[in-house]
Amino acid sequence: ALVCGGFDAGNLAAEQAADKDFLSGELTINPSAGLHSGGCVWKQEKASGENSVFNFKKMNIGGPQFNAVGYLSFWVYSSRSLVNLLVEPDMPGLDMHLTANGAVRIILNGKILVPLTPAQTSDSAVKNLPLEKGWNHFLVKSMQANRDWTAGRQFKSNGSDYMQKVRVSLNN
């Protein structure tokens, strides 16, 4: 994924940090490695472990490491639209399982998909992602307080044929 941060969240509560646009274009950004956003630089980083976890403190991203905000950007390719499950009940579903130390906001294709996960929840799932056919942009905003700072994602589908066609990339 592409990673950008750490942005100083100061004394902001998780809800306030989630609502603050540290990138000056959070809903419309299409980052690439080397792009400067809000005083930080987007970098390519690899996740580690079975849950594809990004450890912001070990990535040398710069900026504050406590009371901070960081972003993950990646693209997911869907071979078909998953938007209207009611019309096609046998349509496969794609879920994203999150692991995070702190609250997370998820933006999909420029729209807030998950406004804010609870700060104390380490695992949560977003069921039946509303992916369009083609490339879909995810921006995961991670809010960190005074502890470890990690965020990870893993995708699962109830359709094995569909899952074999899903691709994840840094750029579309």
Side-chain angles (χ1 to χ4, degrees), residues 4 47 83 97 124 140:
C4 189
V83 174
H97 296 266
S124 58
V140 178

Side-chain angles (χ1 to χ4, degrees), residues 22-171:
F22 292 91
L23 299 177
S24 301
E26 204 172 70
L27 297 179
T28 58
I29 193 160
N30 183 2
S32 57
L35 177 71
H36 290 261
S37 296
C40 294
V41 178
W42 287 92
K43 298 178 183 181
Q44 181 177 340
E45 294 287 347
K46 291 186 178 182
S48 61
E50 140 185 348
N51 292 328
S52 298
V53 174
F54 293 87
N55 187 328
F56 286 90
K57 288 186 177 181
K58 291 184 179 178
M59 288 191 275
N60 193 26
I61 58 174
Q65 300 292 301
F66 295 99
N67 298 320
V69 170
Y71 293 87
L72 300 173
S73 172
F74 55 92
W75 292 81
V76 174
Y77 177 82
S78 177
S79 60
R80 62 186 294 177
S81 174
L82 301 181
V83 174
N84 198 344
L85 291 173
L86 296 176
V87 173
E88 247 182 288
D90 62 339
M91 181 184 308
L94 184 67
D95 304 336
M96 182 167 60
H97 296 266
L98 295 169
T99 303
N101 291 356
V104 173
R105 169 175 277 183
I106 302 169
I107 299 168
L108 172 59
N109 295 329
K111 296 178 183 162
I112 298 171
L113 180 64
V114 176
L116 193 64
T117 62
Q120 284 72 34
T121 302
S122 61
D123 296 311
S124 58
V126 182
K127 300 283 189 185
N128 295 318
L129 292 167
L131 299 181
E132 297 290 348
K133 182 177 181 177
W135 288 102
N136 295 266
H137 183 231
F138 281 87
L139 188 68
V140 178
K141 184 177 189 175
S142 174
M143 277 70 63
Q144 189 277 345
N146 292 316
R147 57 180 178 267
D148 290 338
W149 190 12
T150 60
R153 85 291 188 256
Q154 185 177 33
F155 294 98
K156 295 183 179 178
S157 176
N158 60 357
S160 60
D161 290 342
Y162 171 77
M163 191 64 195
Q164 290 177 1
K165 298 174 187 173
V166 171
R167 296 193 309 266
V168 179
S169 178
L170 296 177
N171 303 82

